[in-house]
Structure formats: structure tokens, C-alpha cells
Amino acid sequence: MAQDQVEWNWWSKETVAVVTGANKGIGFEIVRQLAKQGITVVLTARDTNRGERAVESLKCEGLHDNVNFHSLDVRSEQSALALAEWLRDTYGGIDILINNAAIASTEIGDTFEDAKSLLDTNYFGVKNVTKALLPLARNTPGGFRVVVVSSSVGQLKGLGNNNKYRKILSDRENITEDLVDDFVYKYLLEVENGTWKEGGWPDWTKLGQRFPLRTYSVSKLAVNAYVSALHNTFAAGRGRKLGQAVNVFSCCPGLVDTDLGFLGRPVPKKTPEQGADTPVWLALYCPKGGSGKFWSDRNEKEL
Ligand SMILES: NC(=O)c1ccc[n+]([C@@H]2O[C@H](COP(=O)([O-])OP(=O)(O)OC[C@H]3O[C@@H](n4cnc5c(N)ncnc54)[C@H](OP(=O)(O)O)[C@@H]3O)[C@@H](O)[C@H]2O)c1
């Protein structure tokens, strides 16, 4: 693909990237790869000890000068606003936001509380952090970049026979944040009422998963749609400063060997380094016309 939008290597030490859930796994590798490019990276984590240890572990590679830690629990508005204030005081603005944090553990059950907790992190957490940090968006060459690390289970096939939501979520030109919120709230209501099967939500447990992959899939369907909704808002000239470009991408890192609980199946997996490749590529290269879309292995994929 031709690199026809912005000069490659536009970034410098003054470029600031923020990565959520970055104390381990793919998030940590994203930090490492961006820092290797000479970019200043803010490694965030909900646990201060784990976050500071992660920065410390970059010392042996000489990357710790490029990397700063700040705590962030993506579910907390207060935590996101405290990070935003610190970023404003320390750097004045940011160029790249990578929403990577998510949960999916075999310890998570299938109750309403479990579903709500997962969606609070994987969907509302992404919205919370993006909303708090967008006012700090700089006029980065080629535009400010927001990347959401999502999953292929967030492609529309994850909806199974649920044709009502397929119609709403596939109409990407008209999708709005309110429609995506409505999708998530309706799902939660059906889980609470015990009617999700009648509601047409696919029963992923048939695939032999102990973890309720259905709610994880809903969370990734929602963030993929949110990315399109946010893109529509910016394309319409709302939510950004005059003349400023904002790009927003969602992507699947592939099946990656990390702590993410439900992936214990004996199938070939990517290394975290390989999993970080597409999110980092999107953040740096920012493919022309790619905003609002879903990516995997550096290629645009169908919804
Ligand atoms: N691994 C795969 O095969 C795969 C496939 C498709 C998509 N993904 C996606 O890739 C992303 C990274 O996953 P991973 O595989 O690297 O998993 P991981 O190793 O379990 O890392 C997840 C990270 O998210 C953090 N996190 C969880 N809740 C948080 C919160 N409330 N606030 C801030 N941070 C929080 C975790 O922090 P703690 O250490 O404190 O728990 C951890 O740093 C996720 O979005 C995941 O859905 C992964």
C-alpha cells in the first residue's frame, strides 16, 4: 500500500503516545515498539506497582528514558481525568491514544454482574478514556490517532442470528454513539432478564468455551461500532478543533500468547511482539481513508 498520506518518520521525541493496560501483554509490546521509534510513551496501568515494574523492565533496553508511567483505571472517570490533567501539565497535548486494556478471564462467569463488569472495562472504559483525552489531541501530521485494540469476535459474524442489530451495526455511515450504547444496554437487559437466547444472541459456549465469550464478543462488536460512530462525528466536523484531523481505528491483534484467560486452547499463537504490530502500524502510518474501519494484519477487514 502506498504511503501517500504523511511522510513516514514524521514522529520525534516530542511525539506523545498514551497506551492503556500496558503493564503486560500486547499493551506492553506496543509501548516498547513505539519507544523504540524514539516516541515519548506514557505507559498506563491500573496497578501502580505493576506499571512501574513494567517501565523498569525497559531499562536494560535503554528505553526507559522515553517511557513514563501514570496510573489509569479505564473504568474510572476520575482516574481518566487525573491522567488528562497530568498529560496537559507535563506535555501540553498528545498525538496518539491506544486503547488496549480489556478483560476476558475464565474466572469471569455468566451473570448480569459479570457481563456488566466486562462491558464496563472493554466498552465503557474505551469511551471513558477517549472522551477524557480527546481535548488534548494535537494537530499531529496526518491527524491525531486513536487506535482501539479489538478482536475478530467483534466482526458482525459475532452477532449470529441477531438480524435486528446486524442491520443497525452494519449501517456504518449512520451509526452513532447513542445507537451503540443502546445495543449494549439492550444486551445487558436481556442478560439480566435471562432472555438473551430468545433475543437471538449467539451461544458461544457451544464452541467449548468456559468463559462466556458472548459478552466479550458484544464488547468488541460495540467498540468496533463506536470507532465508526466517532469517525462519523469527526467527519461531520463535530468534536474536533477547526481544521484538525482525527483518525480512529479498531483492529484485531490476532490470537496472541498472553494472560488473556480464555485463550488456553492449544493452537498456534502470535507472540505479543507480533500482536502489537498492527496497532503500532496504524498509529504511525495512519492509512489514508482507513479511519472508522476495522483492521487486522495491516489490512482492512470486513465488519
Ligand atoms: N491475546 C489475544 O489473543 C487477543 C486476541 C484478540 C484481542 N485481544 C485484545 O488485545 C488487548 C490486550 O490483551 P492482552 O492479550 O495483552 O491481555 P492481557 O495480557 O491480559 O493484558 C490486558 C491488560 O489490560 C489491563 N486492564 C484490565 N482491566 C483494566 C482496567 N480496568 N484499567 C486499566 N487496565 C486494565 C490489564 O491490567 P492488569 O495486569 O492489572 O490486569 C493488562 O495490563 C485486549 O483489548 C484484548 O481484548 C487479545
Side-chain angles (χ1 to χ4, degrees), residues 113-272:
E113 283 70 28
D114 292 321
K116 189 172 174 309
S117 160
L118 190 142
L119 285 158
D120 274 347
T121 302
N122 295 12
Y123 173 60
F124 292 109
V126 170
K127 285 188 67 173
N128 176 40
V129 175
T130 307
K131 194 170 155 219
L133 268 50
L134 265 177
L136 299 172
R138 284 183 180 149
N139 236 338
T140 310
F144 180 71
R145 297 108 202 268
V146 180
V147 179
V148 180
V149 183
S150 181
S151 165
S152 58
V153 300
Q155 287 174 283
L156 291 179
K157 59 188 176 200
L159 276 173
N161 296 327
N162 199 322
N163 289 326
K164 179 185 166 200
Y165 285 110
R166 182 185 307 281
K167 195 159 177 276
I168 294 169
L169 296 189
S170 60
D171 184 6
R172 284 308 217 246
E173 280 178 19
N174 294 306
I175 193 87
T176 62
E177 274 188 55
D178 284 350
L179 285 170
V180 188
D181 281 356
D182 187 56
F183 163 73
V184 171
Y185 287 130
K186 289 273 166 53
Y187 170 71
L188 279 172
L189 194 67
E190 301 236 41
V191 173
E192 191 172 28
N193 294 339
T195 55
W196 61 264
K197 252 184 205 160
E198 295 88 319
W201 302 92
D203 185 357
W204 287 82
T205 48
K206 282 186 188 143
L207 298 178
Q209 297 282 353
R210 275 199 299 142
F211 168 74
L213 195 49
R214 172 176 22 89
T215 303
Y216 180 76
S217 164
V218 166
S219 76
K220 297 302 188 180
L221 278 156
V223 286
N224 285 355
Y226 169 66
V227 159
S228 297
L230 209 52
H231 168 78
N232 292 344
T233 305
F234 298 136
R238 297 191 302 273
R240 61 180 166 92
K241 298 162 210 153
L242 198 64
Q244 184 193 42
V246 182
N247 304 284
V248 47
F249 308 100
S250 60
C251 64
C252 177
L255 201 54
V256 185
D257 194 5
T258 66
D259 289 344
L260 215 78
F262 66 96
L263 295 172
R265 290 171 287 156
V267 291
K269 292 176 192 162
K270 290 182 178 178
T271 62

Side-chain angles (χ1 to χ4, degrees), residues 18-53:
V18 177
V19 187
T20 72
N23 51 293
K24 65 177 182 179
I26 298 165
F28 178 70
E29 273 304 324
I30 292 172
V31 169
R32 183 204 297 270
Q33 290 179 25
L34 290 172
K36 270 188 177 163
Q37 293 290 333
I39 288 171
T40 295
V41 192
V42 180
L43 181 158
T44 70
R46 59 178 159 176
D47 181 281
T48 301
N49 286 335
R50 289 199 283 267
E52 286 179 344
R53 267 206 311 273

